Coordinates of all heavy atoms in Angstrom, one line a residue:
M1 N 20.3 194.5 21.7 CA 19.2 195.2 22.3 C 18.8 194.5 23.7 O 18.7 193.4 23.7 CB 18.0 195.3 21.4 CG 18.2 195.9 20.1 SD 18.5 197.7 20.3 CE 16.9 198.4 20.2
Q2 N 18.8 195.2 24.7 CA 18.4 194.8 26.0 C 17.1 195.3 26.4 O 16.6 196.2 25.8 CB 19.5 195.4 27.2 CG 20.9 194.5 26.9 CD 21.8 195.5 26.3 OE1 21.5 196.6 25.9 NE2 23.1 195.0 26.1
I3 N 16.5 194.5 27.3 CA 15.2 195.0 27.9 C 15.4 195.4 29.2 O 15.9 194.7 30.0 CB 14.1 193.8 27.8 CG1 14.0 193.2 26.2 CG2 12.7 194.2 28.3 CD1 14.4 191.9 26.2
Y4 N 14.8 196.6 29.6 CA 15.0 197.0 30.9 C 13.6 197.4 31.5 O 12.7 197.6 30.9 CB 15.7 198.5 30.8 CG 17.1 198.4 30.4 CD1 17.5 198.7 29.1 CD2 18.0 198.2 31.4 CE1 18.8 198.5 28.8 CE2 19.4 198.1 31.0 CZ 19.7 198.3 29.7 OH 21.1 198.2 29.4
R5 N 13.4 196.9 32.9 CA 12.2 197.2 33.6 C 12.6 198.4 34.5 O 13.5 198.4 35.4 CB 11.8 196.0 34.4 CG 10.5 196.3 35.2 CD 10.0 195.1 35.9 NE 9.7 194.1 34.9 CZ 9.8 192.8 35.0 NH1 10.4 192.2 36.0 NH2 9.4 192.1 34.0
I6 N 11.9 199.6 34.4 CA 12.1 200.7 35.2 C 10.9 201.1 36.0 O 9.7 201.1 35.5 CB 12.3 201.9 34.1 CG1 13.7 201.6 33.4 CG2 12.6 203.3 34.9 CD1 13.9 202.7 32.2
S7 N 11.1 201.2 37.3 CA 9.9 201.4 38.2 C 10.3 202.7 38.9 O 11.4 203.0 39.2 CB 9.7 200.3 39.0 OG 10.8 199.9 39.8
G8 N 9.2 203.4 39.3 CA 9.4 204.6 40.2 C 8.0 205.2 40.4 O 7.0 204.5 40.4
W9 N 8.0 206.6 40.6 CA 6.7 207.3 40.8 C 6.9 208.7 40.2 O 8.1 209.1 40.2 CB 6.3 207.3 42.3 CG 7.3 207.9 43.2 CD1 8.5 207.2 43.8 CD2 7.5 209.2 43.7 NE1 9.2 208.0 44.6 CE2 8.5 209.2 44.5 CE3 6.7 210.3 43.4 CZ2 9.0 210.5 45.1 CZ3 7.1 211.5 43.9 CH2 8.2 211.6 44.9
F10 N 5.8 209.3 40.1 CA 5.8 210.7 39.7 C 4.7 211.4 40.4 O 3.7 210.8 40.8 CB 5.7 210.9 38.2 CG 4.4 210.4 37.5 CD1 3.3 211.1 37.4 CD2 4.5 209.1 37.0 CE1 2.2 210.8 36.9 CE2 3.3 208.6 36.4 CZ 2.2 209.3 36.2
K11 N 4.9 212.7 40.6 CA 3.9 213.5 41.5 C 3.0 214.1 40.4 O 3.5 214.8 39.4 CB 4.6 214.5 42.3 CG 3.7 215.2 43.3 CD 4.4 215.9 44.2 CE 3.4 216.7 45.1 NZ 3.9 217.1 46.3
Q12 N 1.7 214.0 40.5 CA 0.8 214.6 39.6 C -0.3 215.1 40.5 O -1.1 214.5 41.3 CB 0.1 213.7 38.8 CG -0.7 214.3 37.6 CD -0.9 213.4 36.4 OE1 -0.7 212.2 36.6 NE2 -1.1 214.0 35.3
G13 N -0.2 216.6 40.7 CA -1.2 217.2 41.6 C -0.7 216.9 43.0 O 0.5 217.2 43.3
L14 N -1.7 216.5 43.8 CA -1.4 216.3 45.2 C -0.9 214.8 45.4 O -0.6 214.3 46.5 CB -2.5 216.6 46.1 CG -3.0 218.0 46.0 CD1 -4.3 218.0 46.8 CD2 -1.9 218.9 46.5
F15 N -1.0 214.0 44.4 CA -0.9 212.5 44.6 C 0.4 212.0 43.9 O 0.9 212.5 43.0 CB -2.1 211.8 44.0 CG -3.3 212.2 44.7 CD1 -4.1 213.1 43.9 CD2 -3.8 211.9 45.8 CE1 -5.4 213.5 44.4 CE2 -5.0 212.2 46.4 CZ -5.8 213.2 45.7
K16 N 1.0 210.9 44.3 CA 2.0 210.1 44.0 C 1.4 209.0 43.0 O 0.6 208.2 43.5 CB 2.9 209.6 44.9 CG 3.8 210.6 45.7 CD 4.7 209.8 46.6 CE 5.6 210.8 47.3 NZ 6.5 210.1 48.2
Q17 N 1.8 208.9 41.8 CA 1.5 207.7 40.9 C 2.6 206.8 40.7 O 3.6 207.2 40.1 CB 0.9 208.4 39.5 CG 0.4 207.4 38.6 CD -0.8 206.6 39.1 OE1 -1.8 207.3 39.6 NE2 -0.8 205.4 39.0
K18 N 2.5 205.6 41.0 CA 3.6 204.6 40.7 C 3.4 204.2 39.4 O 2.3 204.1 38.7 CB 3.5 203.4 41.7 CG 3.8 203.8 43.1 CD 3.8 202.5 44.0 CE 4.2 202.8 45.4 NZ 4.2 201.7 46.2
F19 N 4.7 203.7 38.8 CA 4.6 203.2 37.5 C 5.7 202.1 37.4 O 6.7 202.1 38.2 CB 5.1 204.3 36.4 CG 6.2 204.9 36.5 CD1 7.3 204.3 35.8 CD2 6.6 206.0 37.2 CE1 8.7 204.9 35.8 CE2 7.8 206.6 37.3 CZ 8.8 206.0 36.6
R20 N 5.6 201.2 36.4 CA 6.5 200.2 35.9 C 6.5 200.1 34.5 O 5.4 199.7 33.9 CB 6.2 198.9 36.7 CG 7.3 197.9 36.5 CD 7.2 196.8 37.2 NE 6.2 195.9 36.6 CZ 5.7 194.7 37.0 NH1 6.2 194.3 38.2 NH2 4.8 194.0 36.4
R21 N 7.6 200.4 33.7 CA 7.6 200.4 32.3 C 8.8 199.4 31.9 O 9.7 199.3 32.6 CB 7.9 201.6 31.8 CG 6.9 202.7 31.8 CD 5.8 202.3 31.0 NE 5.2 203.4 30.4 CZ 4.5 203.3 29.3 NH1 4.1 202.2 28.9 NH2 3.9 204.4 28.8
E22 N 8.5 198.6 30.8 CA 9.5 197.8 30.1 C 9.8 198.5 28.8 O 8.8 198.8 28.0 CB 8.9 196.4 30.0 CG 8.8 195.7 31.2 CD 8.1 194.3 31.2 OE1 7.7 194.0 30.1 OE2 8.1 193.7 32.2
V23 N 11.1 198.6 28.6 CA 11.5 199.4 27.2 C 12.6 198.6 26.8 O 13.4 198.0 27.5 CB 11.8 200.8 27.5 CG1 10.6 201.7 27.9 CG2 12.9 201.0 28.6
V24 N 12.8 198.6 25.4 CA 14.0 198.0 24.6 C 14.9 199.2 24.3 O 14.5 200.3 23.8 CB 13.4 197.3 23.4 CG1 14.6 196.9 22.6 CG2 12.4 196.4 23.8
A25 N 16.2 199.0 24.8 CA 17.1 200.0 24.5 C 18.5 199.4 24.5 O 18.8 198.2 24.8 CB 17.2 201.1 25.6
L26 N 19.5 200.1 24.0 CA 20.9 199.7 23.9 C 21.7 200.0 25.2 O 22.5 199.0 25.7 CB 21.7 200.4 22.8 CG 21.3 200.2 21.3 CD1 22.0 201.1 20.4 CD2 21.5 198.8 20.9
T27 N 21.3 200.9 25.9 CA 22.0 201.1 27.1 C 21.0 201.7 28.2 O 19.8 201.9 27.9 CB 23.0 202.4 27.1 OG1 22.2 203.5 26.8 CG2 24.1 202.1 26.0
K28 N 21.4 201.6 29.5 CA 20.5 202.0 30.6 C 20.1 203.6 30.5 O 19.0 203.9 30.7 CB 21.4 201.9 31.9 CG 20.6 202.3 33.2 CD 21.5 202.0 34.3 CE 20.9 202.7 35.5 NZ 21.8 202.6 36.7
E29 N 21.1 204.4 30.0 CA 20.7 205.8 29.8 C 19.7 206.0 28.8 O 18.9 206.8 29.0 CB 22.0 206.4 29.6 CG 23.1 206.6 30.6 CD 23.9 205.4 30.8 OE1 23.9 204.5 29.9 OE2 24.3 205.1 31.9
Q30 N 19.8 205.3 27.7 CA 18.7 205.3 26.6 C 17.4 205.0 27.1 O 16.3 205.5 26.8 CB 19.1 204.6 25.3 CG 20.2 205.2 24.6 CD 20.5 204.4 23.3 OE1 20.2 203.2 23.2 NE2 21.4 204.9 22.5
A31 N 17.4 203.9 28.0 CA 16.1 203.3 28.6 C 15.5 204.4 29.5 O 14.4 204.7 29.5 CB 16.3 202.0 29.3
L32 N 16.3 205.1 30.3 CA 15.7 206.2 31.1 C 15.2 207.4 30.3 O 14.1 207.8 30.6 CB 16.9 206.6 32.1 CG 17.3 205.8 33.2 CD1 18.6 206.2 33.9 CD2 16.2 205.6 34.2
E33 N 15.9 207.7 29.2 CA 15.4 208.8 28.4 C 14.1 208.5 27.8 O 13.2 209.3 27.6 CB 16.5 209.1 27.1 CG 17.6 210.0 27.7 CD 17.3 211.3 28.1 OE1 16.5 211.9 27.4 OE2 17.8 211.8 29.2
R34 N 13.9 207.1 27.5 CA 12.7 206.8 26.7 C 11.5 206.8 27.9 O 10.4 207.3 27.5 CB 12.9 205.3 26.3 CG 11.7 204.8 25.6 CD 11.4 205.3 24.3 NE 10.3 204.7 23.7 CZ 9.5 205.5 22.9 NH1 9.6 206.7 22.7 NH2 8.4 204.7 22.3
V35 N 11.8 206.6 29.1 CA 10.8 206.5 30.0 C 10.4 208.0 30.3 O 9.3 208.3 30.4 CB 11.2 205.7 31.3 CG1 10.2 206.0 32.4 CG2 11.2 204.2 31.0
Y36 N 11.5 208.8 30.5 CA 11.1 210.2 30.7 C 10.3 210.7 29.6 O 9.4 211.6 29.9 CB 12.3 211.0 30.9 CG 13.1 210.9 32.1 CD1 14.5 210.6 32.2 CD2 12.5 211.1 33.4 CE1 15.1 210.5 33.4 CE2 13.2 211.0 34.6 CZ 14.5 210.8 34.7 OH 15.0 210.7 35.8
S37 N 10.7 210.5 28.4 CA 9.9 210.9 27.2 C 8.5 210.4 27.3 O 7.5 211.2 27.0 CB 10.7 210.6 25.9 OG 10.0 210.8 24.8
L38 N 8.3 209.1 27.5 CA 6.8 208.6 27.5 C 6.0 209.2 28.6 O 4.9 209.6 28.2 CB 7.0 207.1 27.6 CG 7.5 206.2 26.4 CD1 7.8 204.8 26.9 CD2 6.5 206.2 25.4
L39 N 6.5 209.2 29.8 CA 5.7 209.7 30.8 C 5.4 211.2 30.6 O 4.4 211.7 31.0 CB 6.4 209.4 32.2 CG 6.5 208.1 32.6 CD1 7.3 207.8 33.9 CD2 5.1 207.3 32.7
G40 N 6.4 212.0 30.2 CA 6.3 213.5 30.0 C 5.2 213.7 29.0 O 4.5 214.7 29.1
S41 N 5.2 213.0 27.9 CA 4.2 213.2 26.7 C 2.9 212.8 27.1 O 1.9 213.4 26.9 CB 4.8 212.6 25.6 OG 4.8 211.2 25.5
R42 N 2.9 211.7 27.9 CA 1.5 211.0 28.1 C 0.8 211.7 29.2 O -0.4 211.9 29.2 CB 1.7 209.5 28.4 CG 0.3 208.9 28.8 CD 0.4 207.4 28.7 NE 0.6 207.1 27.3 CZ 1.2 205.9 26.9 NH1 1.2 204.9 27.8 NH2 1.3 205.6 25.6
H43 N 1.6 212.1 30.3 CA 0.9 212.7 31.5 C 1.2 214.2 31.7 O 0.7 214.8 32.6 CB 1.4 212.1 32.8 CG 1.0 210.6 32.8 ND1 -0.2 210.1 33.1 CD2 1.8 209.5 32.5 CE1 -0.2 208.8 33.0 NE2 0.8 208.4 32.6
G44 N 2.0 214.9 30.8 CA 2.3 216.2 30.8 C 3.1 216.7 32.0 O 2.8 217.7 32.5
I45 N 4.0 215.9 32.4 CA 4.8 216.3 33.6 C 6.2 216.4 33.2 O 6.7 216.0 32.1 CB 4.7 215.2 34.8 CG1 5.2 213.8 34.1 CG2 3.3 215.1 35.3 CD1 5.2 212.8 35.2
T46 N 7.0 217.2 34.0 CA 8.3 217.5 33.7 C 9.2 216.5 34.4 O 8.7 215.7 35.3 CB 8.7 218.9 34.2 OG1 8.4 219.0 35.7 CG2 8.0 220.0 33.6
R47 N 10.5 216.4 33.9 CA 11.5 215.4 34.4 C 11.7 215.5 35.9 O 12.0 214.4 36.5 CB 12.8 215.4 33.7 CG 12.6 215.0 32.2 CD 13.8 215.3 31.5 NE 13.7 215.0 30.0 CZ 14.4 214.0 29.5 NH1 15.4 213.5 30.1 NH2 14.1 213.7 28.2
N48 N 11.5 216.7 36.5 CA 12.0 216.9 37.8 C 10.9 216.3 38.7 O 11.0 216.1 40.0 CB 12.4 218.2 38.2 CG 11.3 219.2 37.9 OD1 10.1 218.8 37.4 ND2 11.3 220.5 38.4
R49 N 9.7 216.0 38.2 CA 8.6 215.3 39.0 C 8.6 213.8 38.9 O 7.7 213.1 39.4 CB 7.3 215.9 38.5 CG 7.2 217.4 38.8 CD 6.2 218.1 38.1 NE 4.9 218.0 38.7 CZ 3.7 218.2 38.1 NH1 3.7 218.8 37.0 NH2 2.6 218.1 38.7
I50 N 9.5 213.3 38.1 CA 9.6 211.8 37.9 C 10.8 211.3 38.8 O 11.9 211.8 38.6 CB 9.8 211.3 36.4 CG1 8.6 211.9 35.6 CG2 10.1 209.9 36.3 CD1 9.0 211.8 34.0
H51 N 10.6 210.4 39.6 CA 11.5 209.8 40.5 C 11.7 208.3 40.2 O 10.8 207.5 40.3 CB 11.1 209.9 42.0 CG 10.8 211.4 42.4 ND1 11.9 212.2 42.7 CD2 9.9 212.1 42.2 CE1 11.5 213.3 43.0 NE2 10.2 213.3 42.7
I52 N 12.9 207.9 39.6 CA 13.2 206.6 39.3 C 13.8 205.9 40.5 O 14.7 206.3 41.2 CB 14.2 206.5 38.2 CG1 13.9 207.5 36.9 CG2 14.5 205.0 37.9 CD1 12.5 206.8 36.3
E53 N 13.1 204.7 40.9 CA 13.5 203.9 42.0 C 14.5 202.8 41.6 O 15.4 202.4 42.4 CB 12.3 203.4 42.8 CG 11.6 204.5 43.4 CD 10.3 204.1 44.1 OE1 9.9 202.8 43.8 OE2 9.8 204.7 45.0
E54 N 14.2 202.1 40.4 CA 14.8 201.0 40.1 C 15.0 200.7 38.6 O 14.0 201.0 37.9 CB 14.1 199.7 40.6 CG 14.8 198.4 40.6 CD 14.2 197.2 41.2 OE1 12.9 197.2 41.1 OE2 14.8 196.3 41.7
V55 N 16.1 200.4 38.0 CA 16.4 200.0 36.7 C 17.0 198.6 36.7 O 18.1 198.5 37.2 CB 17.3 201.0 36.0 CG1 17.5 200.7 34.5 CG2 16.8 202.5 36.1
V56 N 16.4 197.8 36.1 CA 16.8 196.3 36.0 C 16.7 195.8 34.5 O 15.8 196.0 33.9 CB 15.8 195.4 36.9 CG1 16.3 194.1 36.9 CG2 15.7 196.0 38.3
E57 N 17.8 195.2 34.1 CA 17.9 194.5 32.9 C 17.2 193.2 33.0 O 17.6 192.4 34.0 CB 19.3 194.4 32.4 CG 19.4 193.8 30.9 CD 20.8 193.8 30.4 OE1 21.8 194.5 31.1 OE2 21.1 193.0 29.5
I58 N 16.3 192.7 32.2 CA 15.6 191.5 32.2 C 15.8 190.7 31.1 O 16.1 191.1 30.1 CB 14.0 191.8 32.6 CG1 13.4 192.6 31.3 CG2 13.8 192.6 33.8 CD1 11.9 192.6 31.5
N59 N 15.5 189.4 31.2 CA 15.5 188.4 30.2 C 14.2 188.4 29.4 O 13.2 188.9 30.0 CB 15.7 187.0 30.9 CG 17.0 186.9 31.5 OD1 18.0 187.4 31.1 ND2 17.0 186.1 32.5
P60 N 14.2 188.1 28.2 CA 13.0 187.9 27.4 C 11.9 187.2 28.0 O 10.8 187.3 27.7 CB 13.5 187.4 26.1 CG 14.8 187.7 25.9 CD 15.5 187.8 27.4
E61 N 12.2 186.2 28.7 CA 11.2 185.2 29.4 C 10.4 186.1 30.5 O 9.3 185.7 30.9 CB 11.9 184.1 30.1 CG 12.5 183.2 29.1 CD 14.0 183.7 28.7 OE1 14.6 184.2 29.6 OE2 14.4 183.3 27.7
E62 N 10.9 187.1 31.0 CA 10.4 187.9 32.1 C 9.5 189.1 31.6 O 8.9 189.7 32.4 CB 11.5 188.5 33.1 CG 12.4 187.5 33.6 CD 13.5 188.1 34.4 OE1 13.2 189.1 35.1 OE2 14.6 187.5 34.4
I63 N 9.3 189.2 30.3 CA 8.6 190.3 30.0 C 7.2 190.1 30.1 O 6.5 189.1 29.9 CB 8.8 190.5 28.4 CG1 10.3 190.9 28.1 CG2 7.9 191.6 27.7 CD1 10.5 190.8 26.6
T64 N 6.4 191.3 30.6 CA 5.0 191.2 30.8 C 4.2 192.2 29.9 O 3.1 192.0 29.9 CB 4.7 191.7 32.3 OG1 5.2 192.9 32.6 CG2 5.3 190.7 33.3
D65 N 4.9 193.2 29.4 CA 4.3 194.0 28.5 C 4.1 193.5 27.0 O 5.2 193.1 26.4 CB 5.1 195.3 28.4 CG 4.4 196.5 27.6 OD1 3.4 196.3 27.1 OD2 5.0 197.6 27.7
P66 N 3.0 193.3 26.5 CA 2.8 192.7 25.2 C 3.4 193.5 24.0 O 3.8 193.0 23.0 CB 1.2 192.5 24.9 CG 0.7 193.2 26.1 CD 1.7 193.6 27.1
R67 N 3.5 194.8 24.2 CA 4.0 195.6 23.3 C 5.5 195.4 23.0 O 6.1 195.4 22.0 CB 3.9 197.1 23.4 CG 2.3 197.5 23.4 CD 2.1 198.9 23.9 NE 2.4 198.9 25.3 CZ 2.1 200.0 26.1 NH1 1.4 200.9 25.6 NH2 2.2 199.7 27.3
V68 N 6.3 195.3 24.2 CA 7.7 195.0 24.0 C 7.9 193.6 23.6 O 8.8 193.3 22.8 CB 8.3 195.0 25.6 CG1 9.7 194.6 25.4 CG2 8.1 196.4 26.0
L69 N 7.0 192.7 23.9 CA 7.1 191.2 23.4 C 6.9 191.1 21.8 O 7.6 190.4 21.2 CB 6.0 190.3 24.1 CG 6.2 188.9 24.1 CD1 7.5 188.5 24.7 CD2 5.0 188.2 24.9
A70 N 5.9 192.1 21.4 CA 5.8 192.0 20.0 C 6.9 192.6 19.2 O 7.2 192.3 18.1 CB 4.6 192.8 19.5
M71 N 7.6 193.5 19.8 CA 8.9 194.2 19.1 C 10.0 193.1 18.9 O 10.8 193.2 18.1 CB 9.4 195.3 20.0 CG 8.5 196.5 20.1 SD 9.1 197.8 21.2 CE 10.6 198.2 20.3
L72 N 10.1 192.2 19.9 CA 11.2 191.2 19.7 C 10.8 190.0 18.9 O 11.7 189.3 18.3 CB 11.5 190.6 21.2 CG 11.9 191.6 22.2 CD1 12.1 191.0 23.5 CD2 13.1 192.3 21.7
E73 N 9.7 189.8 18.3 CA 9.3 188.8 17.5 C 9.5 189.1 16.1 O 9.7 190.2 15.6 CB 7.8 188.5 17.7 CG 7.5 187.9 19.0 CD 6.1 187.5 19.2 OE1 5.1 188.0 18.4 OE2 5.7 186.9 20.3

C-alpha cells in the first residue's frame, strides 16, 4: 500500500476551494478515484468540477493526516 498526497481545487458556486488530501491506495488511479468519491460525497459536486493539480507518492514520515497515520499502525 502506498500513500498519495493529492492536491487541487474545485469550483463550488462562484468560488474556488483548494484542497489537499492524503489517501492510502494500491495505485495512483485508485487514489484519484478515492479523492473524487470523498469530495463528491462530502461537498455534493461532480467530477468535472474537481481539478487535480498534483499527485505525489509520499513516505510514511511525511504524513500529516492523523486518520491516514492511524490506518498504518
